[in-house]
Amino acid sequence: MQDLVIRDADVVDGSGADSYRADVVVDDGRIVSIVREAAAAGCQRPSARRELDAEGLVLSPGFVDMHAHSDLALLRDPDHSAKAAQGVTLEVIGQDGLSYAPVDDRTLGEVRRAITGWNGHGDDIDFDWRSVGEYLDRLDRGVAVNAAYLVPQGTIRALAVGWEDREATPEELARMRQLVAEGLEQGAVGMSSGLTYTPGMYAEDAELTELCRVVASYGGYYCPHHRSYGAGALEAYAEMVALTREAGCALHLAHATMNFGVNKGRAPQLLDLLDEALAAGADISLDTYPYTPGCTTLAALLPSWASEGGPEAVLARLADEESAERIRHHLEVTGSDGCHGVPVEWDTIEISGVSDPALAAHVGHRLDGWTTARRLLLADRLGTTILQHVGHEENVRSIMRHRVHTGGSDGILQGTKPHPRAYGTFPRYLGHYVRELGVLSLEECVAHLTSRPAARLRLPDRGLVREGYRADLVLFDPRTVAAGSTYEEPRRLPTGIPYVLIDGRFVIENGRRTDVLAGRSVRRTPAR
């Protein structure tokens, strides 16, 4: 007898095709049978050890979060309802060019300090890995949801070159190429960059192109947080398109937004640029989150020269009056490259989290100027996270309609008041933008969140409701599904998603998290 039959579900299969009524049978972690309109046809209905009545519910493939910052959260939080309760069955981590493998002891310490605001310092984590393969092995001990990994180019540069703003030597470039190749051979699906974060931003295009050639040779993709989402954003997008075309590498644009006042209403120009490249044969996709504010660390806004040498050098410059004044001038007058070339508007920056509990009173407040920002950076040792209220709703809607669009939360789970996208991205797409606004049809939206990302990741048996595919599935109520999280209560869980299965096992059942740890690393065997 089979494990499970889901009866009378409205199947939205992830392909974009119309929904249909069916009984879906699951056994040994896979979909083994789909019987359409079984009740109406009067045919023999499938049976199983467990039967689940799905009347009124939509059955879809599990959602793929194409841009996640759960690198340590997956290890420290077995529950991980932030993603599991949304219907996310696979996250792509190692984002923005900075993560925890591959490393040596020196680089691990530097990276931990640099991205404390994203993931916490990690004092509660046993960092018993150094290579990409060892990190993926750690995930394979059992985590809440599946995870794929991108080799982080900034970490690679820190390991081979350091945190200096200079051109890599031929020997250093050769080592970086080797490190990228090793990560891909060990199971990474591609490479990420954070080109407004140090030290990845110090790489010139020629260096990035050489690394992308390695990624292309293994069938992976390049996922850059490119050099600007503000002033010069279109030029920054065009730079990534040209670079990957030269390298012959697939391109996935991370959190592809058009932010700040200079880009209001300019999303169609970005989409025209992408359409022209796609028509010429480029392999491009992108992800976005369905919100207007961004989220990052306060230290990320600093000019690149101030971040050279790593976190301790940054703190020393902030403590020095002359250097601090020079930083202020770049932030407020000329436009820091860390703030996308746009002068900082302090009243758009809201403190969302601090590393030092003694500074908790700052959370939820807007910054009133450089003096407060500097004091906070020093006191919190660069661990402060922020929301930047700089987005535009018309741009968000235009980009999410595009045919190569996928969903990515960019969810930072740290801080007292994180961005609600960490807990609400996927139900917000389904509830707000499908049911309430009609920006996308239900079938279109599910395809954006399932089969499109699975195709980018080159996963042959995920992203669709098909016989033989893995039973990573979501059952949701299209009439009530909604993000519970808000800016005031960002950790509230969504509504209308009563069941989530990974590998045929219930991780959400009757709207509650079970104790099942069905998640594992999702590796693609590299093909030359």
Side-chain angles (χ1 to χ4, degrees):
M1 179 150 315
Q2 314 288 3
D3 291 336
L4 171 69
V5 57
I6 303 170
R7 293 208 184 281
D8 294 320
D10 292 321
V11 178
V12 177
D13 69 5
S15 69
D18 291 343
S19 65
Y20 59 87
R21 179 67 64 91
D23 292 352
V24 177
V25 182
V26 172
D27 190 58
D28 196 26
R30 293 189 179 269
I31 300 167
V32 296
S33 178
I34 300 173
V35 182
R36 295 192 182 214
E37 301 290 351
C43 62
Q44 180 69 37
R45 304 191 71 175
S47 60
R49 282 185 287 273
R50 175 172 179 180
E51 298 184 1
L52 177 62
D53 181 3
E55 181 71 36
L57 298 179
V58 167
L59 175 67
S60 81
F63 305 137
V64 180
D65 188 342
M66 285 295 286
H67 193 102
H69 289 283
S70 302
D71 307 49
L72 299 186
L74 282 166
L75 302 179
R76 70 161 57 96
D77 179 18
D79 182 83
H80 201 47
S81 287
K83 295 301 177 67
Q86 292 188 61
V88 171
T89 59
L90 170 60
E91 299 184 272
V92 184
I93 55 179
Q95 297 286 353
D96 294 332
L98 288 167
S99 189
Y100 305 94
V103 291
D104 56 16
D105 291 349
R106 170 189 63 82
T107 307
L108 176 60
E110 293 167 343
V111 169
R112 287 175 62 182
R113 289 193 295 276
I115 54 175
T116 294
W118 295 356
N119 298 306
H121 190 265
D123 291 334
D124 54 342
I125 302 294
D126 178 11
F127 289 89
D128 59 352
W129 69 85
R130 292 296 179 269
S131 71
V132 170
E134 289 167 349
Y135 175 70
L136 298 179
D137 289 344
R138 176 71 177 273
L139 297 177
D140 284 341
R141 298 179 196 173
V143 288
V145 305
N146 296 314
Y149 189 74
L150 295 165
V151 178
Q153 171 259 331
T155 300
I156 292 287
R157 199 171 210 273
L159 188 56
V161 180
W163 296 74
E164 292 76 38
D165 183 2
R166 64 173 176 82
E167 184 177 349
T169 67
E171 293 76 18
E172 289 166 340
L173 180 57
R175 189 180 182 211
M176 285 190 281
R177 287 174 54 89
Q178 179 185 1
L179 289 166
V180 172
E182 289 173 354
L184 290 161
E185 288 170 356
Q186 292 164 12
V189 295
M191 181 180 76
S192 75
S193 282
L195 299 179
T196 63
Y197 301 125
T198 57
M201 69 191 306
Y202 299 141
E204 299 293 336
D205 283 2
E207 178 181 314
L208 295 172
T209 301
E210 286 303 303
L211 298 183
C212 283
R213 292 188 200 280
V214 177
V215 175
S217 73
Y218 285 91
Y221 70 93
Y222 181 43
C223 180
H225 165 125
H226 52 275
R227 298 191 194 274
S228 177
Y229 292 84
L234 285 174
E235 292 80 3
Y237 281 112
E239 175 192 11
M240 295 297 101
V241 170
L243 186 155
T244 49
R245 292 296 301 279
E246 182 177 347
C249 186
L251 172 64
H252 181 84
L253 295 165
H255 37 60
T257 57
M258 293 287 287
N259 287 341
F260 302 92
V262 295
N263 288 317
K264 184 176 176 60
R266 298 186 71 193
Q269 297 177 53
L270 167 61
L271 300 180
D272 287 346
L273 185 158
L274 299 181
D275 284 337
E276 182 179 349
L278 289 162
D283 183 358
I284 301 173
S285 55
L286 57 86
D287 66 68
T288 69
Y289 45 84
Y291 297 87
T292 52
C295 180
T296 187
T297 62
L298 182 57
L301 306 185
L302 301 177
S304 57
W305 63 262
S307 299
E308 185 178 4
E312 294 304 319
V314 178
L315 291 167
R317 292 187 182 100
L318 287 167
D320 176 73
E321 293 298 332
E322 183 177 347
S323 296
E325 172 56 24
R326 186 181 169 205
I327 292 170
R328 184 204 64 77
H329 185 80
H330 275 258
L331 283 169
E332 295 185 342
V333 180
T334 64
S336 162
D337 50 4
C339 194
H340 308 278
V342 177
V344 169
E345 297 177 354
W346 293 113
D347 62 352
T348 67
I349 297 175
E350 178 184 356
I351 303 302
S352 61
V354 291
S355 294
D356 184 348
L359 301 169
H362 290 275
V363 174
H365 293 281
R366 303 287 180 111
L367 283 175
D368 58 8
W370 166 242
T371 300
T372 302
R374 178 191 177 195
R375 186 184 305 124
L376 191 54
L377 284 163
L378 285 166
D380 208 25
R381 296 188 61 80
L382 312 182
T384 305
T385 53
I386 61 170
L387 302 184
Q388 269 189 293
H389 295 268
V390 292
H392 306 287
E393 179 66 19
E394 65 270 37
N395 287 348
V396 171
R397 296 189 194 187
S398 294
I399 294 169
M400 75 169 63
R401 293 188 185 101
H402 197 270
R403 66 187 186 279
V404 300
H405 170 266
T406 67
S409 71
D410 196 13
I412 294 175
L413 300 169
Q414 286 296 116
T416 305
K417 196 170 180 282
H419 196 304
R421 70 192 185 194
Y423 285 73
T425 286
F426 295 87
R428 181 169 169 82
Y429 269 120
L430 297 167
H432 186 60
Y433 286 97
V434 171
R435 183 181 64 246
E436 295 175 3
L437 299 180
V439 174
L440 295 168
S441 72
L442 181 59
E443 289 84 357
E444 287 174 319
C445 186
V446 169
H448 288 221
L449 307 181
T450 60
S451 64
R452 289 188 188 176
R456 165 53 69 218
L457 296 167
R458 301 187 179 180
L459 304 176
D461 58 356
R462 300 176 195 264
L464 293 167
V465 179
R466 292 280 191 276
E467 292 180 358
Y469 275 56
R470 290 183 178 272
D472 294 351
L473 301 168
V474 180
L475 282 153
F476 63 89
D477 186 338
R479 299 160 298 185
T480 62
V481 63
S485 59
T486 64
Y487 293 102
E488 292 72 30
E489 297 183 74
R491 296 186 188 276
R492 283 176 53 189
L493 296 179
T495 58
I497 306 179
Y499 299 100
V500 180
L501 295 88
I502 295 178
D503 204 31
R505 303 165 66 192
F506 286 91
V507 297
I508 299 291
E509 188 170 7
N510 295 317
R512 296 182 179 276
R513 178 74 171 93
T514 70
D515 61 1
V516 169
L517 295 176
R520 299 292 186 272
S521 70
V522 173
R523 314 186 195 204
R524 188 180 59 233
T525 302
R528 288 278 184 178

Short mmCIF file of all heavy atoms in Angstrom, two decimals, residues 85-86 423-424 426-428 430-431 435 475-485 492-498 511:
data_model
loop_
_atom_site.label_atom_id
_atom_site.label_comp_id
_atom_site.label_asym_id
_atom_site.label_seq_id
_atom_site.Cartn_x
_atom_site.Cartn_y
_atom_site.Cartn_z
N ALA A 85 6.76 27.44 7.13
CA ALA A 85 5.35 27.81 7.19
C ALA A 85 4.88 28.57 5.96
O ALA A 85 3.68 28.66 5.70
CB ALA A 85 5.08 28.64 8.46
N GLN A 86 5.82 29.13 5.19
CA GLN A 86 5.46 29.81 3.94
C GLN A 86 5.25 28.84 2.78
O GLN A 86 4.86 29.25 1.69
CB GLN A 86 6.56 30.79 3.53
CG GLN A 86 6.74 31.99 4.41
CD GLN A 86 7.73 32.97 3.80
OE1 GLN A 86 7.52 33.49 2.70
NE2 GLN A 86 8.83 33.21 4.50
N TYR A 423 9.45 36.34 6.57
CA TYR A 423 8.37 35.46 6.99
C TYR A 423 7.17 35.48 6.06
O TYR A 423 6.28 34.65 6.20
CB TYR A 423 7.90 35.86 8.40
CG TYR A 423 8.81 35.46 9.52
CD1 TYR A 423 10.02 36.12 9.73
CD2 TYR A 423 8.49 34.41 10.37
CE1 TYR A 423 10.87 35.76 10.76
CE2 TYR A 423 9.33 34.04 11.41
CZ TYR A 423 10.52 34.72 11.60
OH TYR A 423 11.37 34.36 12.62
N GLY A 424 7.14 36.43 5.10
CA GLY A 424 5.90 36.62 4.36
C GLY A 424 5.96 36.66 2.86
O GLY A 424 4.92 36.81 2.21
N PHE A 426 6.26 34.57 0.20
CA PHE A 426 5.52 33.68 -0.70
C PHE A 426 4.01 33.78 -0.50
O PHE A 426 3.26 33.89 -1.49
CB PHE A 426 6.08 32.27 -0.59
CG PHE A 426 7.50 32.21 -1.09
CD1 PHE A 426 8.56 32.49 -0.24
CD2 PHE A 426 7.77 31.96 -2.42
CE1 PHE A 426 9.87 32.50 -0.72
CE2 PHE A 426 9.07 31.97 -2.91
CZ PHE A 426 10.13 32.24 -2.05
N PRO A 427 3.50 33.77 0.74
CA PRO A 427 2.05 34.01 0.89
C PRO A 427 1.63 35.41 0.46
O PRO A 427 0.48 35.61 0.04
CB PRO A 427 1.81 33.77 2.38
CG PRO A 427 3.14 33.87 3.03
CD PRO A 427 4.13 33.41 2.01
N ARG A 428 2.52 36.39 0.52
CA ARG A 428 2.17 37.73 0.05
C ARG A 428 1.99 37.74 -1.47
O ARG A 428 1.07 38.38 -1.99
CB ARG A 428 3.23 38.75 0.46
CG ARG A 428 2.91 40.19 0.01
CD ARG A 428 3.85 41.19 0.67
NE ARG A 428 3.76 42.52 0.09
CZ ARG A 428 2.83 43.43 0.39
NH1 ARG A 428 1.90 43.13 1.27
NH2 ARG A 428 2.85 44.62 -0.19
N LEU A 430 0.89 35.23 -3.21
CA LEU A 430 -0.36 34.52 -3.49
C LEU A 430 -1.59 35.28 -3.01
O LEU A 430 -2.63 35.27 -3.67
CB LEU A 430 -0.32 33.14 -2.83
CG LEU A 430 0.77 32.19 -3.32
CD1 LEU A 430 0.90 31.00 -2.39
CD2 LEU A 430 0.48 31.74 -4.75
N GLY A 431 -1.47 35.94 -1.85
CA GLY A 431 -2.62 36.62 -1.30
C GLY A 431 -2.79 38.02 -1.84
O GLY A 431 -3.85 38.38 -2.38
N ARG A 435 -4.61 37.25 -5.41
CA ARG A 435 -6.04 37.32 -5.05
C ARG A 435 -6.55 38.76 -4.99
O ARG A 435 -7.61 39.09 -5.52
CB ARG A 435 -6.28 36.62 -3.72
CG ARG A 435 -7.76 36.58 -3.33
CD ARG A 435 -7.98 35.90 -1.99
NE ARG A 435 -7.35 36.60 -0.88
CZ ARG A 435 -6.34 36.12 -0.15
NH1 ARG A 435 -5.84 34.93 -0.41
NH2 ARG A 435 -5.82 36.82 0.84
N LEU A 475 0.01 22.60 0.19
CA LEU A 475 -1.44 22.73 0.10
C LEU A 475 -1.84 24.04 0.75
O LEU A 475 -1.55 24.26 1.93
CB LEU A 475 -2.12 21.55 0.79
CG LEU A 475 -2.13 20.24 0.00
CD1 LEU A 475 -2.21 19.05 0.93
CD2 LEU A 475 -3.29 20.23 -0.99
N PHE A 476 -2.49 24.92 -0.02
CA PHE A 476 -2.88 26.21 0.53
C PHE A 476 -4.30 26.55 0.09
O PHE A 476 -4.80 26.03 -0.92
CB PHE A 476 -1.91 27.31 0.12
CG PHE A 476 -1.81 27.59 -1.36
CD1 PHE A 476 -2.65 28.52 -1.96
CD2 PHE A 476 -0.87 26.94 -2.14
CE1 PHE A 476 -2.56 28.79 -3.33
CE2 PHE A 476 -0.76 27.21 -3.50
CZ PHE A 476 -1.63 28.12 -4.10
N ASP A 477 -4.94 27.41 0.87
CA ASP A 477 -6.30 27.86 0.59
C ASP A 477 -6.21 29.17 -0.19
O ASP A 477 -5.80 30.19 0.38
CB ASP A 477 -7.06 28.06 1.90
CG ASP A 477 -8.53 28.39 1.68
OD1 ASP A 477 -8.89 28.86 0.59
OD2 ASP A 477 -9.32 28.18 2.63
N PRO A 478 -6.58 29.19 -1.45
CA PRO A 478 -6.42 30.42 -2.25
C PRO A 478 -7.31 31.55 -1.78
O PRO A 478 -7.05 32.72 -2.10
CB PRO A 478 -6.79 29.96 -3.67
CG PRO A 478 -7.71 28.80 -3.46
CD PRO A 478 -7.19 28.10 -2.24
N ARG A 479 -8.33 31.24 -0.96
CA ARG A 479 -9.25 32.27 -0.48
C ARG A 479 -8.70 32.99 0.76
O ARG A 479 -9.13 34.12 1.05
CB ARG A 479 -10.60 31.64 -0.13
CG ARG A 479 -11.30 30.98 -1.33
CD ARG A 479 -12.32 29.98 -0.87
NE ARG A 479 -11.71 28.89 -0.10
CZ ARG A 479 -12.35 27.83 0.34
NH1 ARG A 479 -13.65 27.70 0.11
NH2 ARG A 479 -11.72 26.89 1.03
N THR A 480 -7.77 32.35 1.47
CA THR A 480 -7.32 32.94 2.74
C THR A 480 -5.81 33.09 2.86
O THR A 480 -5.33 33.73 3.80
CB THR A 480 -7.79 32.07 3.92
OG1 THR A 480 -7.19 30.76 3.82
CG2 THR A 480 -9.30 31.93 3.93
N VAL A 481 -5.04 32.51 1.94
CA VAL A 481 -3.58 32.57 2.07
C VAL A 481 -3.13 34.02 2.12
O VAL A 481 -3.56 34.85 1.32
CB VAL A 481 -2.89 31.79 0.93
CG1 VAL A 481 -3.19 32.39 -0.44
CG2 VAL A 481 -1.38 31.73 1.17
N ALA A 482 -2.28 34.32 3.09
CA ALA A 482 -1.83 35.70 3.28
C ALA A 482 -0.60 35.71 4.17
O ALA A 482 -0.39 34.80 4.99
CB ALA A 482 -2.93 36.56 3.91
N ALA A 483 0.20 36.75 4.00
CA ALA A 483 1.35 36.95 4.89
C ALA A 483 0.84 37.47 6.23
O ALA A 483 0.13 38.48 6.28
CB ALA A 483 2.32 37.93 4.27
N GLY A 484 1.22 36.81 7.29
CA GLY A 484 0.89 37.33 8.61
C GLY A 484 1.84 38.41 9.05
O GLY A 484 1.48 39.30 9.83
N SER A 485 3.06 38.38 8.55
CA SER A 485 4.09 39.31 8.99
C SER A 485 3.79 40.72 8.51
O SER A 485 3.30 40.94 7.40
CB SER A 485 5.46 38.87 8.47
OG SER A 485 5.46 38.81 7.05
N ARG A 492 5.25 37.24 12.60
CA ARG A 492 3.98 36.51 12.55
C ARG A 492 3.97 35.57 11.35
O ARG A 492 4.38 35.93 10.24
CB ARG A 492 2.81 37.49 12.44
CG ARG A 492 2.47 38.18 13.76
CD ARG A 492 1.38 39.21 13.57
NE ARG A 492 0.20 38.66 12.92
CZ ARG A 492 -0.82 39.40 12.48
NH1 ARG A 492 -0.77 40.72 12.60
NH2 ARG A 492 -1.86 38.83 11.92
N LEU A 493 3.48 34.36 11.58
CA LEU A 493 3.46 33.35 10.53
C LEU A 493 2.27 33.56 9.60
O LEU A 493 1.28 34.18 9.96
CB LEU A 493 3.41 31.96 11.15
CG LEU A 493 4.63 31.57 12.00
CD1 LEU A 493 4.45 30.17 12.58
CD2 LEU A 493 5.92 31.64 11.19
N PRO A 494 2.36 33.04 8.38
CA PRO A 494 1.28 33.23 7.41
C PRO A 494 0.03 32.44 7.76
O PRO A 494 0.06 31.54 8.61
CB PRO A 494 1.90 32.74 6.10
CG PRO A 494 2.97 31.80 6.51
CD PRO A 494 3.51 32.33 7.80
N THR A 495 -1.05 32.77 7.09
CA THR A 495 -2.30 32.04 7.21
C THR A 495 -2.60 31.35 5.88
O THR A 495 -2.09 31.73 4.82
CB THR A 495 -3.45 32.97 7.57
OG1 THR A 495 -3.56 34.00 6.55
CG2 THR A 495 -3.21 33.64 8.92
N GLY A 496 -3.45 30.32 5.95
CA GLY A 496 -3.95 29.68 4.74
C GLY A 496 -3.01 28.68 4.10
O GLY A 496 -3.20 28.32 2.94
N ILE A 497 -1.99 28.19 4.85
CA ILE A 497 -1.09 27.16 4.32
C ILE A 497 -1.07 26.02 5.34
O ILE A 497 -0.18 25.93 6.20
CB ILE A 497 0.33 27.71 4.08
CG1 ILE A 497 0.28 28.93 3.17
CG2 ILE A 497 1.23 26.63 3.45
CD1 ILE A 497 1.64 29.56 2.90
N PRO A 498 -2.06 25.12 5.28
CA PRO A 498 -2.17 24.10 6.33
C PRO A 498 -1.20 22.93 6.20
O PRO A 498 -0.92 22.27 7.21
CB PRO A 498 -3.62 23.62 6.20
CG PRO A 498 -3.99 23.89 4.78
CD PRO A 498 -3.25 25.14 4.39
N GLY A 511 -1.48 23.28 9.84
CA GLY A 511 -0.99 24.62 10.12
C GLY A 511 0.07 24.72 11.18
O GLY A 511 0.48 25.83 11.55
#
